[in-house]
C-alpha cells in the first residue's frame, strides 16, 4: 500500500508540474484529491490494512495528500504569475504620457509676498489692521504731522476726490485710526492699496504697502533696528545685511531708511543696486510726538516705532521681475509663473 | 542738489576719498543719487596761447599753428578749426595726453606736416556736444596752466537728494557744516571785505513792506556803474558743476551765492523800477506779471509780489519779472535779499505750477539771519566781476525779527528713545558741533538755542535725532521689543478674505489684481445697471480711463480676458477678491466692501490626449459657485433675472437668505463686443463682505449608517421647461426620511424622447437608521415618488 501511495505521489507531482494551464490543473486536482479521486480511493482501502500498519500507512497517505495539494498550489501560483507577466507585457502603459491634472490656480505675487511679510510679523504677535482707500486729508496728512502747505506733501503726488478727501498716499493713516480705537499697547501690521499720481517706468498709480506700528512703554530705536533686522533676515535669509540711514518722514522722529545688502550681488555691486551694494527697501522711525498728540497718547509714557514698505519692490526682488508693470497687467503667462 | 567736491573742499577739510565721503554723507541723511567724475579719463590738457597761424602747404582746410603751452618751445599744431585768432588761449592736449573718448594724442604727421599736439573743441573735452570750433578760454587764464582744473574737469560731483525738512542742505555751506560736525573740524566760511561808496543807499531807494506776515524781512543794496558781461571762468565752472547755465556776471553771482548759502537773491535793473523803490505787497485783483521765462502770469490777491511804485516786478521768492530783468545795458542794480513766509511761497509756486531754485529753497525755509551775509557777499562778488560802486549801507526792513527758540534736552530721554547710553557730555558736544549753543546745562538736561537755519527743529525728539545721526545710526544697538497682546481685533475680515483667496486659487482659479480705478464708459460697456453707476470720482485723474474708482470687479475681469486673448491666451479661469468703492451720500468716505468675482472662458482644463478639449459652459461656473458656497457653509439660491450684463439664456441673481448678493451668468454678447472678446465668457460676482465677518458654526457630527443602503435608479420623461430643482424637490418630499440622497445622473433630449420633452434619470439612495430595508420597503417608496412626480409634473416613467 505504501508503495502504491509513493507511486501516486510520483505520478501526481510529475503531471502537476507538467500542467500547462489552470483548467488542466483543476482536472488534476479532481483526479487526485477529488471525492472520487485516486488518493481518496487509496485511503478508502485503508480499512483492509492490518490494524498495526494503519497508523504508518495513514501518515504516509496524509503526507502524499499534502504534497499533492502543495504542488497544485505552487503550480497554480506559477501559472498565474506567468499569465500575468504575459498580459502585463501586452498591456504595459506608456508612463511618459501626461497625467490628468486637477486645475491649478495661482495667487497673485503681490498678494503672496504681502502675506508672507505680514505673517512674519503676525508670528511675532502683531495683529492685522486695515483702513479705507478713500481717506480724509486729516488721517492721510494732518494727523500725521503734515499740515497743508507743508513741503513734505510734495513727496506724495496725491489724488483728490474732493476738498479734504484723497486716495490715501500711504498706509500710515491706519496708524491714527488704530490708535483712536485703543490705548497702548498696540502692535499692528497694515497691508493695503495706496495711490499716487505717478505712472512711469518704475511707478504704478496704485501700489501695495505694508505698514507696521508698535506702541508701548519703553519702545526704542534699538528695538526698531532689532525688529526690522529680524524681519529682513527671516524674509531675505539669515546672511542678509541691513543698514539704517537717517531720513525724513513727517510722522516719525528720528526717521530712517533701511537698506539691505543687494540680493543679486550680495553687496559686491551690480546693475540692480546701482553698484552701491545696497537696496533700499523700507522707511521707518520712532513715532513723532505730534502724532501721539493727535492720537491722545501720552508721549512721555509711551514711545512707538513705525515702518512702511512697498510690496511691489520686494516682490520684484524676490522673483527677479524686471518691471513693475507686469504686476498689474494680469497677463496669465506672467501670473502662472508663481 | 549737485555738490562739487572742489567747492566743498574750500569750505571744509574733507576726506579725499570719494567713496568714504559718499558713505559719510549717506549716513548723515544726505542720500547720494549719483556720483559724477567730471573729466574722467582726461589728462595733460594745458592752456595754450596761439602765436602764429599759417596755411597748411598741402591742405586747404587745415592750418598750421604755433602754440605756447609754457614749455621751452612752442608746439607746432595742425588744426582744422577756423574760429581762433592769434593771441587766443585754448585748451591744448600735449604729446601723451588723453582727451574725451579715450583718444591718445601724440606727435604725428598730418598731410606731411608734424603736429605736436591738439587744440580742443568743447566736445573733445567731454563738455557737451559743441564741435563748431576751438574752445576759446578767457584772456586772464595763465599760459601753461592745467586747463582741466580751470574747466572743472578734475572735479567730482555728488548728486544728493535733500529731504524736505533740511532746507539748509540745499546750500554748500549747509552740507559742509554737517561734515565739519561729523569730523569735529572747523567750517571755513569765505572771507570778504565789502568796499562801500559814500552815497547812502537810503537816499537812492526805499523798501516798504505792506504784508509783514508774508515777508518778515526784506533787505537790499544798490550797486551803480556796473558792466554786464560774461562771468570769469571760475564762476562759470562753479555754476556748470552745479548744473546751472551761466547767464551774465550779475545773475551768475546771485546764483552762486544761492548755491553757496542756500539763500535766494534777486537783482533788479534799478532804473526800471518806477520811482526807484520797492513795495512788498500782495497782488491786486487782475494784476498780471510777465516772469523771466516769458510767461504772463495771472496773479491772485493771496500771492505775494515785489512791486515798484506802480506794478509788480517779481513774484516774491519764485521768479523775477521780465521788465526789470538785468540785461546787457543794465548799469545800476537793486540787489534783493529777503525772507518770505514758506507756506505762502509754496502755495504761489503750486498755484502757478512753478518750481524754481528759489521757490524750492524759500518753501523749505531759508535763513532770515543769513540774508545779510548773503547780500553783502553777493555785492562784494558783483563788484569784483562787474565793477561798479556799492552804495553805503543796506536797506533792511525787518518787521518780524527772527525769534530765537530754545529747547530743553533730557539726556535720559535720548537714551530711552534710542536705546543707547550716550553720556551727557557727548550729547551736548554733538549739538554744539551742529551750531546749537548751550544756554544752560545741569546733570540731567541742557537747554540749547536753535540755529536760525534749523526750521525743522521744534521738539526734543528733533534734537535726539541729530544726536543719533552724528553718533551714527550704525552705532545704535539692536534689541527685540516685547510685544504685548490685547483683545482688540482690528480687521476681522482680512483673515477670512485671505482664506477665500487661498481656496479659490487652490481649486483652479488664478488670482488677478486690477487697478482699482474705473471709468463710466467701461461701466456702461459691462452692462452694469444704470441706477448703480455712481462712482467715487477723482479731481485729478491720471487719464480718462482712471477717472474714478471701480464699483464692480467685472470690468477689470473682462479687460483682463481681452488683454490675454490679444496676447494669445484663450483658456482662462481667474478671480479677483478685493474692494469696490460705492459713494455714500453726504459722506467723505466710500463704502469699501469686499467682492469676489470669477470668470471662465475657453477650455481652461487644457487639451488632454485621453479626451477632446472641453470648452467651459454655464455649469462649470455654477460648479465653482457650488464649491464656493459649500466651502463658505452658506445656503444660497439662484433666481433668473434680466440684465444687460448677461445673455438672456443664462442670467441669474444669487440670493443669500432670500436677498440679492450677486449675479452670475454668461456675459451678454453686446458686452463681449464692447470689450473686444470673441469667445463666450462666464462671470460671477458676489458681495462677500457680509460673509467674512464671522465664521460658519461648526458642523455637528451624525453617526454614519452601519446598515447597507438600498439603491434604485429611475428615469422619467417630463416637459423640457420643468426645472430639475423642482423634480428633486418633489422626489425629496415623497421620499421622506427613508430617502437619504437623490442625484440626477443623466438628462437626455433626442430621438427616443418626444420633442419638447426630456428624460431625466435619477439615482436614489434609501437608508433607514434602525433596520435593513427590504425590497418591499424600497419599492413602496419608489412608487410613491413616481406617483408624486406624475401628479406634480406630468412625469412618465421611461
Amino acid at each position: 500500500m505504501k508503495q502504491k501511495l509513493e507511486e501516486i505521489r510520483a505520478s501526481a507531482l510529475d503531471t502537476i508540474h507538467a500542467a500547462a494551464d489552470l483548467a488542466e490543473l483543476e482536472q488534476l486536482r479532481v483526479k487526485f484529491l477529488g471525492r472520487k479521486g485516486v488518493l481518496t480511493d487509496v485511503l478508502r482501502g485503508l480499512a483492509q490494512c492490518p490494524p498495526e500498519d494503519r497508523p504508518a500507512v495513514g501518515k504516509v497517505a496524509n503526507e502524499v495528500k499534502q504534497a499533492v495539494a502543495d504542488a497544485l498550489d505552487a503550480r497554480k501560483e506559477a501559472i498565474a504569475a506567468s499569465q500575468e507577466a504575459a498580459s502585463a507585457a501586452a498591456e504595459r502603459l506608456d508612463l511618459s504620457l501626461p497625467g490628468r491634472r486637477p486645475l491649478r490656480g495661482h495667487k497673485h505675487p503681490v498678494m503672496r509676498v504681502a502675506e508672507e511679510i505680514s505673517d512674519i510679523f503676525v508670528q511675532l504677535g502683531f495683529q492685522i489692521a486695515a483702513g479705507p482707500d478713500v481717506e480724509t486729508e486729516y488721517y492721510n496728512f494732518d494727523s500725521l504731522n503734515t499740515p497743508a502747505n507743508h513741503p513734505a506733501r510734495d513727496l506724495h503726488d496725491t489724488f483728490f476726490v474732493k476738498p479734504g478727501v484723497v486716495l490715501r498716499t500711504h498706509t500710515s493713516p491706519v496708524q491714527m485710526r488704530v490708535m483712536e480705537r485703543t490705548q497702548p499697547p498696540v502692535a499692528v501690521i497694515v497691508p493695503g492699496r495706496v495711490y499716487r499720481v505717478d505712472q512711469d517706468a518704475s511707478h504704478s498709480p496704485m501700489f501695495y504697502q505694508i505698514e507696521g506700528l508698535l506702541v508701548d512703554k519703553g519702545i526704542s530705536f534699538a528695538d526698531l533696528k532689532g525688529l526690522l533686522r529680524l524681519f529682513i533676515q527671516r524674509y531675505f535669509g539669515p546672511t542678509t545685511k541691513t543698514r539704517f540711514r537717517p531720513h525724513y518722514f513727517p510722522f516719525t522722529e528720528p526717521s530712517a531708511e533701511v537698506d539691505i545688502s543687494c540680493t543679486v550681488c550680495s553687496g559686491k555691486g551690480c546693475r540692480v543696486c546701482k553698484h552701491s551694494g545696497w537696496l533700499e527697501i523700507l522707511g521707518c522711525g520712532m513715532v513723532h510726538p505730534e502724532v501721539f498728540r493727535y492720537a491722545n497718547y501720552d508721549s512721555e509714557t509711551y514711545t512707538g516705532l513705525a515702518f512702511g514698505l512697498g510690496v511691489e519692490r520686494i516682490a520684484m526682488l524676490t522673483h527677479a521681475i524686471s518691471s513693475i508693470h507686469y504686476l498689474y497687467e494680469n497677463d496669465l503667462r506672467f501670473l502662472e509663473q508663481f | 542738489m549737485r555738490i562739487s567736491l572742489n567747492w566743498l573742499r574750500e569750505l571744509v577739510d574733507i576726506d579725499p576719498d570719494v567713496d568714504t565721503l559718499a558713505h559719510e554723507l549717506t549716513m548723515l541723511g544726505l542720500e547720494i543719487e549719483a556720483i559724477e567724475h567730471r573729466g574722467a579719463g582726461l589728462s595733460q590738457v594745458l592752456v595754450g596761447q596761439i602765436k602764429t597761424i599759417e596755411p597748411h602747404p598741402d591742405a586747404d582746410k587745415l592750418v598750421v599753428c604755433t602754440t605756447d603751452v609754457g614749455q621751452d618751445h612752442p608746439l607746432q599744431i595742425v588744426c582744422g578749426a577756423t574760429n581762433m585768432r592769434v593771441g587766443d588761449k585754448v585748451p591744448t592736449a600735449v604729446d601723451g595726453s588723453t582727451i574725451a573718448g579715450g583718444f591718445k594724442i601724440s606727435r604725428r604727421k598730418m598731410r606731411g606736416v608734424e603736429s605736436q599736439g591738439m587744440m580742443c573743441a568743447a566736445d573733445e573735452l567731454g563738455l557737451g556736444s559743441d564741435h563748431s570750433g576751438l574752445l576759446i578760454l578767457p584772456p586772464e587764464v595763465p599760459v601753461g596752466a592745467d586747463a582741466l582744473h580751470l574747466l572743472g574737469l578734475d572735479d567730482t560731483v555728488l548728486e544728493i537728494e535733500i529731504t524736505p525738512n533740511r532746507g539748509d542742505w540745499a546750500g554748500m555751506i549747509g552740507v559742509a557744516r554737517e561734515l565739519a560736525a561729523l569730523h569735529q573740524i572747523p567750517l571755513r566760511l569765505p572771507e570778504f571785505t565789502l568796499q562801500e561808496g559814500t552815497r547812502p543807499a537810503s537816499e537812492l531807494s526805499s523798501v516798504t513792506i505792506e504784508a509783514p506776515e508774508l515777508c518778515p524781512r526784506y533787505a537790499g543794496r544798490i550797486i551803480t556803474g556796473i558792466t554786464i558781461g560774461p562771468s570769469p571762468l571760475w564762476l562759470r565752472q562753479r555754476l556748470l558743476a552745479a548744473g546751472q547755465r551761466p547767464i551774465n556776471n550779475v545773475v551768475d553771482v546771485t546764483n552762486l551765492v544761492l548755491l553757496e548759502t542756500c539763500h535766494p537773491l534777486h537783482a533788479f535793473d534799478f532804473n526800471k523800477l518806477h520811482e526807484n523803490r520797492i513795495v512788498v505787497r500782495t497782488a491786486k485783483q487782475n494784476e498780471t506779471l510777465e516772469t523771466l521765462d516769458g510767461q504772463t502770469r495771472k496773479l491772485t490777491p493771496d500771492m505775494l509780489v515785489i512791486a515798484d511804485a506802480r506794478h509788480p516786478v517779481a513774484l516774491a521768492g519764485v521768479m523775477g519779472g521780465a521788465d526789470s530783468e538785468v540785461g546787457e545795458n543794465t548799469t545800476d542794480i537793486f540787489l534783493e535779499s529777503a525772507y518770505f513766509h514758506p507756506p505762502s511761497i509754496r502755495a504761489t509756486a503750486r498755484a502757478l505750477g512753478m518750481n524754481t531754485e528759489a521757490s524750492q529753497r524759500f518753501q523749505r525755509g531759508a535763513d532770515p539771519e543769513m540774508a545779510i551775509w548773503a547780500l553783502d557777499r553777493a555785492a562784494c562778488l558783483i563788484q569784483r566781476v562787474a565793477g561798479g560802486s556799492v552804495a553805503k549801507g543796506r536797506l533792511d526792513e525787518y518787521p518780524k525779527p527772527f525769534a530765537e527758540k530754545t529747547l530743553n534736552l533730557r539726556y535720559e530721554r535720548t537714551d530711552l528713545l534710542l536705546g543707547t547710553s550716550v553720556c551727557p557730555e557727548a550729547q551736548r558736544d554733538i549739538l554744539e558741533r551742529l551750531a546749537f549753543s548751550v544756554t544752560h546745562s545741569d546733570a540731567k538736561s541742557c537747554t540749547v538755542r536753535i540755529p536760525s537755519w534749523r526750521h525743522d527743529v521744534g521738539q526734543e525728539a528733533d534734537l535726539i535725532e541729530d544726536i543719533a545721526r552724528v553718533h551714527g545710526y550704525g552705532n545704535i544697538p539692536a534689541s527685540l521689543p516685547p510685544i504685548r497682546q490685547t483683545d482688540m481685533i482690528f480687521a476681522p475680515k482680512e483673515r477670512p478674505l485671505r482664506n477665500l483667496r487661498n481656496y479659490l486659487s487652490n481649486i483652479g482659479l488664478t488670482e488677478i489684481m486690477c487697478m482699482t480705478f474705473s471709468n463710466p464708459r467701461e461701466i456702461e460697456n459691462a452692462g452694469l445697471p444704470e441706477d448703480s453707476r455712481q462712482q467715487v470720482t477723482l479731481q485729478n485723474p491720471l487719464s480718462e480711463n482712471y477717472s474714478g474708482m471701480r464699483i464692480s470687479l467685472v470690468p477689470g475681469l473682462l479687460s483682463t480676458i481681452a488683454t490675454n486673448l490679444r496676447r494669445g491666451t484663450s483658456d482662462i479661469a481667474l478671480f479677483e477678491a478685493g474692494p469696490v468703492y460705492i459713494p455714500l451720500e453726504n459722506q467723505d468716505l466710500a463704502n469699501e466692501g469686499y467682492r469676489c468675482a470669477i470668470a471662465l472662458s475657453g477650455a481652461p482644463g487644457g487639451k488632454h490626449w485621453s479626451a477632446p478639449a472641453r470648452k467651459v459652459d454655464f455649469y462649470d461656473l455654477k460648479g465653482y459657485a457650488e464649491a464656493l458656497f459649500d466651502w463658505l457653509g452658506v445656503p444660497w439660491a439662484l433666481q433668473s433675472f434680466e440684465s444687460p450684463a448677461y445673455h438672456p439664456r443664462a442670467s441669474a441673481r444669487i440670493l443669500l437668505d432670500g436677498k440679492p448678493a450677486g449675479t452670475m451668468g454668461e456675459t451678454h454678447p453686446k458686452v463681449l463686443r464692447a470689450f473686444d472678446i470673441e469667445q463666450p465668457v462666464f462671470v460671477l460676482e458676489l458681495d462677500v463682505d457680509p460673509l467674512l465677518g464671522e465664521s460658519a458654526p461648526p458642523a455637528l457630527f451624525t453617526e454614519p449608517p452601519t446598515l447597507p443602503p438600498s439603491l434604485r435608479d429611475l428615469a422619467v420623461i417630463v416637459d423640457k421647461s420643468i426645472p430639475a430643482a423642482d423634480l428633486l424637490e418633489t422626489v425629496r418630499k415623497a421620499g421622506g426620511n427613508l430617502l437619504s440622497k437623490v442625484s440626477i445622473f443623466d438628462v437626455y433630449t433626442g430621438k427616443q424622447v418626444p420633442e419638447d420633452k426630456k428624460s431625466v434619470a435619477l439615482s436614489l439612495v434609501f437608508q433607514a437608521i434602525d433596520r435593513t430595508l427590504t425590497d418591499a420597503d424600497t419599492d413602496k417608496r419608489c412608487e410613491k415618488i413616481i406617483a408624486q412626480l406624475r401628479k406634480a409634473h406630468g412625469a412618465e416613467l421611461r
Side-chain angles (χ1 to χ4, degrees):
Chain A
M1 188 126 181
K2 259 191 193 172
Q3 198 188 342
K4 181 122 196 240
L5 282 167
E6 289 303 337
E7 280 167 16
I8 291 170
R9 186 204 306 245
S11 95
L13 293 189
D14 279 353
T15 49
I16 289 168
H17 195 69
D21 56 36
L22 293 175
E24 196 183 336
L25 212 54
E26 179 59 17
Q27 282 170 12
L28 291 173
R29 192 189 64 78
V30 174
K31 180 179 170 192
F32 291 106
L33 300 179
R35 266 195 294 162
K36 292 172 185 168
V38 183
L39 265 175
T40 322
D41 263 3
V42 174
L43 289 172
R44 218 172 275 141
L46 199 61
Q48 287 134 36
C49 265
E52 65 277 16
D53 290 349
R54 276 184 210 163
V57 174
K59 192 174 170 238
V60 173
N62 278 326
E63 277 172 16
V64 171
K65 194 178 172 184
Q66 189 59 49
V68 171
D70 287 351
L72 282 167
D73 285 350
R75 187 60 195 155
K76 196 172 171 182
E77 197 60 32
I79 290 169
S82 84
Q83 279 180 352
E84 278 160 16
S87 74
E91 294 164 9
R92 177 161 293 153
L93 300 184
D94 178 355
L95 302 185
S96 67
L97 275 175
R100 282 185 203 96
R101 279 200 220 191
L103 272 187
R104 186 198 157 182
H106 302 262
K107 281 178 98 169
H108 194 283
V110 167
M111 285 301 198
R112 230 207 23 235
V113 169
E115 289 171 4
E116 281 168 21
I117 293 168
S118 302
D119 283 351
I120 291 171
F121 289 99
V122 168
Q123 279 158 13
L124 293 170
F126 283 75
Q127 275 221 34
I128 303 279
D133 293 8
V134 178
E135 184 56 286
T136 61
E137 273 190 85
Y138 173 81
Y139 284 107
N140 196 74
F141 288 124
D142 302 55
S143 69
L144 295 173
N145 194 30
T146 318
N149 276 324
H150 190 288
R153 286 208 179 187
D154 288 344
L155 297 174
H156 299 193
D157 280 319
T158 311
F159 283 112
F160 282 89
V161 171
K162 57 184 171 190
V165 182
V166 300
L167 298 187
R168 64 176 174 190
T169 57
H170 48 182
T171 38
S172 306
V174 184
Q175 286 189 19
M176 191 54 58
R177 289 186 172 274
V178 162
M179 288 192 283
E180 279 181 352
R181 285 177 63 185
T182 182
Q183 280 288 309
V186 166
V188 291
I189 193 90
V190 187
R193 291 169 178 78
V194 299
Y195 304 85
R196 294 192 197 165
V197 188
D198 214 348
Q199 190 169 33
D200 59 31
S202 53
H203 294 91
S204 163
M206 178 197 88
F207 55 105
Y208 215 79
Q209 268 193 348
I210 292 183
E211 182 90 6
L213 175 70
L214 174 66
V215 183
D216 205 343
K217 286 176 190 162
I219 300 294
S220 71
F221 195 88
D223 292 332
L224 177 70
K225 283 186 73 174
L227 179 72
L228 293 178
R229 198 172 66 182
L230 181 79
F231 154 67
I232 284 163
Q233 292 188 342
R234 284 201 183 164
Y235 186 85
F236 291 101
T239 56
T240 315
K241 290 193 187 69
T242 53
R243 177 172 86 168
F244 286 70
R245 59 187 160 71
H247 199 69
Y248 168 74
F249 302 106
F251 37 93
T252 49
E253 191 79 19
S255 304
E257 271 186 343
V258 182
D259 300 333
I260 60 169
S261 49
C262 178
T263 53
V264 177
C265 63
S266 307
K268 288 191 261 312
C270 68
R271 204 177 46 82
V272 174
C273 60
K274 292 185 195 158
H275 303 281
S276 70
W278 295 101
L279 296 170
E280 175 196 326
I281 61 151
L282 59 81
C284 62
M286 302 304 293
V287 179
H288 198 287
E290 196 63 13
V291 173
F292 278 155
R293 195 175 66 75
Y294 273 97
N296 270 323
Y297 278 18
D298 176 8
S299 62
E300 280 296 300
T301 312
Y302 297 107
T303 49
L305 60 85
F307 55 90
L309 54 83
V311 177
E312 285 81 359
R313 178 160 173 76
I314 293 182
M316 287 168 70
L317 287 175
T318 307
H319 299 293
I321 297 167
S322 55
S323 160
I324 190 170
H325 295 294
Y326 282 112
L327 295 172
Y328 296 116
E329 278 176 353
N330 295 313
D331 187 324
L332 287 168
R333 296 169 304 174
F334 169 79
L335 295 175
E336 285 169 3
Q337 294 178 29
F338 306 100
Chain B
M1 172 86 180
R2 289 167 57 90
I3 303 285
S4 148
L5 295 198
N6 282 353
W7 191 350
L8 193 61
R9 281 197 185 95
E10 289 177 10
L11 296 168
V12 63
D13 187 12
I14 49 171
D15 194 298
D17 180 60
V18 176
D19 289 337
T20 308
L21 179 71
H23 177 73
E24 285 172 0
L25 288 171
T26 300
M27 296 311 288
L28 283 165
L30 293 116
E31 200 172 337
I32 310 290
E33 303 241 284
I35 300 177
E36 180 188 323
H37 297 280
R38 302 192 82 216
L42 306 185
S43 71
Q44 297 198 59
V45 182
L46 307 178
V47 175
Q49 186 169 33
I50 301 172
K51 295 296 184 189
T52 62
I53 305 177
E54 303 290 340
H56 189 289
D58 269 340
D60 293 346
K61 293 194 171 169
L62 295 179
V63 291
V64 180
C65 306
T66 47
T67 304
D68 178 8
V69 291
Q71 296 170 350
D72 294 347
H73 301 286
L75 304 177
Q76 174 176 295
I77 298 176
V78 179
C79 179
T82 55
N83 67 320
M84 66 288 192
R85 292 179 189 171
V86 171
D88 278 352
K89 292 177 178 172
V90 292
T92 307
V94 299
D95 186 24
S97 64
T98 312
I99 61 165
F103 288 109
K104 299 238 184 286
I105 302 301
S106 54
R107 287 164 182 262
R108 63 183 181 118
K109 285 205 166 160
M110 294 177 77
R111 293 280 186 105
V113 178
E114 187 179 63
S115 185
Q116 299 166 329
M118 177 174 159
M119 298 184 289
C120 300
D123 66 331
E124 286 159 340
L125 296 173
L127 288 168
S129 57
D130 186 2
H131 193 66
S132 60
L134 299 183
L135 175 62
I136 309 291
L137 299 171
E140 72 267 16
V141 297
V143 170
D146 180 354
L148 295 177
H149 178 68
L150 290 168
L151 291 166
L153 291 173
D154 59 347
D155 200 359
T156 299
V157 175
L158 300 183
E159 223 172 288
I160 59 172
E161 189 191 312
I162 296 166
T163 52
N165 59 324
R166 291 302 298 263
D168 60 315
W169 286 347
M172 296 298 296
I173 290 172
V175 175
R177 190 185 284 119
E178 291 290 323
L179 289 166
L182 180 71
H183 292 290
Q184 313 192 43
I185 51 176
L187 176 68
R188 299 185 293 228
L189 285 183
E191 282 171 22
F192 61 89
T193 318
L194 181 61
Q195 305 285 332
E196 292 182 326
T198 48
R199 191 143 177 222
S202 55
E203 282 180 16
L204 297 168
S205 180
S206 71
V207 168
T208 314
I209 299 179
E210 290 181 0
E213 294 299 329
L214 303 184
C215 179
R217 184 172 207 175
Y218 195 99
R221 273 190 182 274
I222 291 141
I223 310 171
T224 53
I226 57 164
T227 310
I228 299 293
S231 294
L233 196 57
W234 69 265
L235 175 49
R236 299 211 316 255
Q237 287 320 322
R238 280 283 139 91
L239 297 181
L240 285 169
Q244 290 197 1
R245 192 170 49 89
I247 295 168
N248 63 44
N249 46 11
V250 168
V251 174
D252 290 352
V253 165
T254 61
N255 284 335
L256 178 89
V257 174
L258 170 138
L259 291 167
E260 183 176 69
T261 61
C262 181
H263 198 92
L265 303 171
H266 185 67
F268 295 97
D269 187 325
F270 187 55
N271 297 319
K272 291 187 180 156
L273 299 177
H274 283 279
E275 298 177 20
N276 294 129
R277 65 191 182 92
I278 290 286
V279 180
V280 185
R281 59 169 170 84
T282 51
K284 293 171 186 158
Q285 198 74 47
N286 300 326
E287 248 177 352
T288 59
L289 170 69
E290 187 189 342
T291 43
L292 281 174
D293 54 7
Q295 302 230 32
T296 301
R297 311 283 179 174
K298 280 187 184 163
L299 308 179
T300 54
D302 52 348
M303 293 176 179
L304 187 70
V305 296
I306 312 302
D308 57 18
R310 290 189 200 163
H311 305 294
V313 291
L315 204 50
V318 181
M319 194 180 273
D323 289 347
S324 56
E325 183 178 1
V326 172
E328 273 174 57
N329 302 321
T330 302
T331 54
D332 305 334
I333 59 167
F334 182 99
L335 187 61
E336 161 198 293
S337 180
Y339 179 75
F340 302 112
H341 184 55
S344 148
I345 299 300
R346 183 174 186 277
T348 302
R350 280 181 73 87
L352 296 173
M354 300 170 77
N355 189 16
T356 63
E357 295 281 339
S359 73
Q360 277 176 28
R361 285 171 174 80
F362 274 125
Q363 63 176 278
R364 288 172 179 188
D367 178 358
E369 297 292 287
M370 182 59 101
I372 296 309
W373 192 90
L375 178 65
D376 289 354
R377 164 96 170 129
C380 184
L381 283 173
I382 286 171
Q383 205 172 27
R384 196 170 124 201
V385 301
S389 161
V390 180
K392 189 176 166 58
R394 292 179 286 257
L395 300 160
D396 185 6
E397 289 301 309
Y398 200 180
K400 296 264 170 190
F402 171 72
E404 277 194 339
K405 277 186 244 156
T406 59
L407 265 182
N408 197 44
L409 173 76
R410 295 162 297 169
Y411 305 125
E412 224 179 65
R413 186 76 187 169
T414 304
D415 287 336
L416 182 90
L417 194 65
L418 299 181
T420 48
S421 47
V422 182
C423 70
E425 293 71 35
Q427 294 192 28
R428 262 198 325 267
D429 181 49
I430 288 172
L431 292 179
E432 285 179 318
R433 274 146 62 189
L434 290 170
F436 291 86
S437 50
V438 175
T439 58
H440 166 85
S441 165
D442 60 39
K444 295 198 156 178
S445 69
C446 65
T447 306
V448 296
R449 189 179 295 131
I450 303 167
S452 53
W453 57 86
R454 290 300 302 273
H455 304 285
D456 62 308
V457 177
Q459 316 214 12
E460 191 180 34
D462 300 322
L463 298 176
I464 295 173
E465 181 178 61
D466 267 4
I467 292 168
R469 279 192 316 117
V470 177
H471 176 71
Y473 276 18
N475 296 323
I476 295 172
S479 53
L480 277 180
I483 294 164
R484 287 203 288 152
Q485 301 300 302
T486 65
D487 57 1
M488 284 294 289
I489 292 181
F490 293 103
K493 292 178 181 176
E494 297 304 310
R495 178 61 58 167
L497 181 70
R498 189 207 281 203
N499 292 343
L500 172 73
R501 294 183 14 255
N502 285 344
Y503 176 69
L504 294 175
S505 58
N506 283 337
I507 59 171
L509 302 171
T510 293
E511 179 176 33
I512 63 167
M513 258 181 107
C514 292
M515 291 282 166
T516 48
F517 305 109
S518 188
N519 63 74
R521 188 175 39 80
E522 174 185 83
I523 290 168
E524 192 189 330
N525 284 346
L528 296 175
E530 260 174 74
D531 56 357
S532 64
R533 287 187 191 164
Q534 203 69 26
Q535 270 182 282
V536 172
T537 52
L538 301 177
Q539 291 181 327
N540 55 335
L542 258 178
S543 70
E544 245 178 68
N545 287 343
Y546 289 169
S547 65
M549 303 304 286
R550 68 184 179 188
I551 58 168
S552 162
L553 303 181
V554 173
L557 287 180
L558 294 175
S559 301
T560 300
I561 290 174
T563 305
N564 278 284
L565 287 175
R566 268 202 307 281
R567 296 179 183 183
T569 309
S570 54
D571 301 325
I572 292 165
L574 36 84
F575 81 97
E576 177 164 16
V580 297
Y581 308 84
I582 311 297
L584 295 170
E585 220 170 312
N586 300 324
Q587 284 194 40
D588 286 340
L589 302 189
N591 178 8
E592 299 184 14
Y594 286 129
R595 287 202 193 167
C596 166
I598 297 173
L600 305 175
S601 191
K607 290 195 173 86
H608 194 258
W609 52 268
S610 63
R614 197 177 61 79
K615 302 251 186 218
V616 287
D617 61 23
F618 176 80
Y619 297 103
D620 290 281
L621 182 68
K622 193 174 175 201
Y624 275 109
E626 286 166 0
L628 173 62
F629 286 112
D630 189 40
W631 180 81
L632 286 166
V634 176
W636 63 296
L638 279 187
Q639 182 187 53
S640 64
F641 85 131
E642 271 179 43
S643 156
Y646 295 109
H647 197 298
R649 69 178 169 216
S651 170
R653 202 174 252 140
I654 298 168
L655 304 179
L656 299 181
D657 264 346
K659 278 179 258 156
T663 59
M664 65 186 282
E666 179 176 354
T667 301
H668 199 290
K670 195 177 157 202
V671 173
L672 293 182
R673 279 197 298 278
F675 279 87
D676 246 339
I677 298 172
E678 290 182 344
Q679 64 183 44
V681 172
F682 301 88
V683 168
L684 170 157
E685 185 175 38
L686 177 70
D687 179 11
V688 285
D689 208 73
L691 306 177
L692 299 174
E694 50 205 272
S695 46
L700 297 177
F701 171 75
T702 50
E703 190 95 39
T706 50
L707 300 165
S710 181
L711 310 178
R712 287 286 190 281
D713 287 350
L714 57 91
V716 292
I717 293 176
V718 294
D719 282 354
K720 256 186 191 168
S721 60
I722 293 174
D726 293 4
L727 298 178
L728 293 177
E729 181 63 20
T730 304
V731 170
R732 279 198 198 97
K733 264 192 194 153
N737 59 354
L738 291 187
L739 179 71
S740 71
K741 197 173 168 191
V742 54
S743 48
I744 294 170
F745 70 90
D746 190 33
V747 177
Y748 176 79
T749 54
K751 270 187 197 162
Q752 289 118 32
V753 177
E755 230 174 284
D756 72 7
K757 297 273 184 191
K758 62 184 172 188
S759 159
V760 179
L762 301 160
S763 172
L764 310 172
V765 180
F766 294 95
Q767 178 96 54
I769 320 164
D770 52 346
R771 63 196 161 104
T772 304
L773 292 177
T774 63
D775 280 355
D777 291 333
T778 311
D779 289 346
K780 207 172 137 196
R781 226 19 103 93
C782 265
E783 274 156 29
K784 190 176 168 197
I785 288 171
I786 292 162
Q788 284 299 317
L789 282 172
R790 183 174 293 128
K791 190 174 156 200
H793 310 294
E796 294 297 335
L797 206 56
R798 194 178 167 199

